[in-house]
Amino acid sequence: MSNLDASPAEQDCRAKHDPGPVAELYQARDVPLGGVRGVHVLRTLPQRVLPTVGAWCFLDHFGPHSAAMNVNPHPHIGLQTVTWPFEGEIRHRDTLGSDVVVRPRQLNLMTAGRGIAHSEFAVPGAPAGHGLQLWTALPAGHRTTDPHFEQHKTLPVYEHPGLRAIVFLGTLDTVTSPATTYSPILGADLTVNPGAEVTIPLTHYHEHALLLIDGDLTAADTDLQPGPLLYLGTHRSDLTLSSRTGAHAILLGGEPFHEDIVMWWNFVGRTHEEIEQARTDWEKHDQERFPDIAGHTVQERIPAPPLPGVRLKPRGRGH
Ligand code: MN
């Protein structure tokens, strides 16, 4: 999926450096993705005062949509895209020649590194699309790595009475996803049974956040509704979750990401010039950085929006 905003603003983001154990709700923004179908997503990352949770820098909750969500070829740099469907099937094609369908509870992980482009199309006849699109920011030592794509059809599960957690990225307790990571991180899909109260171990020097998808959930003395992101801060060695009717939720975490980043359109970089160069390379169809995707015409490429009239400035945590 893509940030299809026709005039994306610079993400102006500041946050406390190390907040300790907090419980802060961040409202989702309803973001139209354009087109005649009026498809929209609920975006909870980045926030102005919360640019990242660990290396997680982008979180879109899409659907359930009856209209097909088809996203034409568009580029990425400096990030990983994490596609995690709950319902529906998505065909992914990219500039490396990948052409795969991802199904619910399977992971598509695309590491953009110095540059990649991809398209994502709903599989005709499949159920309504519903799921998450996330990005992780690549740290300095890896952000210009060669692009690569991986799909994981089976993922490890952390089980505890009353709780089942699919670990799709990183590590929860002793359970580690096989997916490639570039910073200490956690992404887990939680199913909490009706009437359950469960305590899960967390890495205390990481920060965490929780997004309720369905049902009811109480965590850190907060009754969650589907929609907002509950930011839990740092210095928690465990988290107790309870639910009356059962819950489906997403737990994100990771080592706080201390690098200042520039996020604009579908790019994560460090400087204005770097973003401008990526935009230029996409617009001039640079075949070395962003080759054509088999099965797509040049006309199907999503054009980059104009850069804002001011220089993009790096933003980080708590400066
Ligand atoms: Mn994308």
Side-chain angles (χ1 to χ4, degrees):
M1 199 158 309
S2 165
N3 181 1
L4 295 176
D5 191 338
S7 56
E10 179 183 10
Q11 302 291 345
D12 183 359
C13 309
R14 306 260 167 152
K16 291 186 285 289
H17 182 72
D18 189 359
V22 299
E24 299 169 347
L25 283 171
Y26 289 89
Q27 296 304 314
R29 297 189 301 288
D30 195 317
V31 180
L33 292 187
V36 292
R37 300 181 306 276
V39 171
H40 64 104
V41 299
L42 294 174
R43 183 167 300 162
T44 42
L45 282 178
Q47 299 274 344
R48 182 177 169 80
V49 295
L50 188 69
T52 48
V53 175
W56 297 107
C57 62
F58 187 88
L59 172 52
D60 270 0
H61 178 193
F62 61 91
H65 290 306
S66 52
M69 240 169 92
N70 294 332
V71 183
N72 267 321
H74 60 277
H76 291 287
I77 67 163
L79 56 83
Q80 293 177 298
T81 65
V82 175
T83 305
W84 184 248
F86 308 142
E87 296 173 75
E89 300 180 359
I90 302 164
R91 180 183 181 187
H92 161 99
R93 284 173 281 179
D94 65 36
T95 46
L96 304 172
S98 313
D99 184 354
V100 298
V101 171
V102 65
R103 299 185 170 83
R105 272 58 175 193
Q106 299 178 350
L107 172 69
N108 269 10
L109 178 64
M110 186 177 80
T111 301
R114 61 187 166 76
I116 198 168
H118 71 148
S119 68
E120 288 169 298
F121 277 62
V123 173
H130 184 204
L132 299 181
Q133 166 80 183
L134 307 105
W135 299 350
T136 76
L138 292 172
H142 298 283
R143 65 193 192 85
T144 58
T145 192
D146 288 342
H148 59 102
F149 174 82
E150 58 196 82
Q151 183 177 69
H152 297 274
K153 289 183 191 295
T154 55
L155 290 156
V157 176
Y158 171 87
E159 294 203 69
H160 192 278
L163 172 76
R164 188 169 189 275
I166 306 171
V167 181
F168 55 84
L169 206 68
T171 299
L172 175 60
D173 195 21
T174 58
V175 178
T176 297
S177 165
T180 305
T181 58
Y182 294 92
S183 59
I185 200 164
L186 166 63
D189 183 296
L190 313 181
T191 301
V192 183
N193 293 346
E197 179 175 301
V198 295
T199 299
I200 54 178
L202 300 179
T203 303
H204 78 277
Y205 55 90
H206 288 187
E207 59 184 345
H208 295 88
L210 199 55
L211 182 73
L212 180 62
I213 306 298
D214 278 312
D216 75 275
L217 188 65
T218 301
D221 297 319
T222 307
D223 295 328
L224 269 173
Q225 305 293 326
L229 184 71
L230 177 64
Y231 177 62
L232 294 160
T234 50
H235 299 288
R236 291 182 184 272
S237 54
D238 57 42
L239 180 68
T240 298
L241 306 171
S242 62
S243 179
R244 290 176 287 104
T245 63
H248 176 205
I250 301 295
L251 176 64
L252 301 180
E255 189 174 289
F257 196 82
H258 290 304
E259 296 176 44
D260 292 353
I261 60 175
V262 178
M263 255 181 92
W264 180 82
W265 195 40
N266 294 305
F267 303 139
V268 173
R270 298 297 183 277
T271 65
H272 177 92
E273 286 73 19
E274 185 189 344
I275 299 292
E276 190 173 42
Q277 185 63 54
R279 184 189 180 282
T280 299
D281 290 343
W282 175 247
E283 288 299 288
K284 74 178 186 193
H285 302 179
D286 183 294
Q287 288 296 307
E288 197 278 322
R289 193 172 195 184
F290 301 117
D292 293 330
I293 300 174
H296 286 292
T297 65
V298 167
Q299 289 73 30
E300 289 171 324
R301 295 162 64 108
I302 297 175
L307 278 165
V310 294
R311 284 179 59 80
L312 302 169
K313 289 190 294 291
R315 301 293 177 182
R317 308 289 301 272
H319 296 282

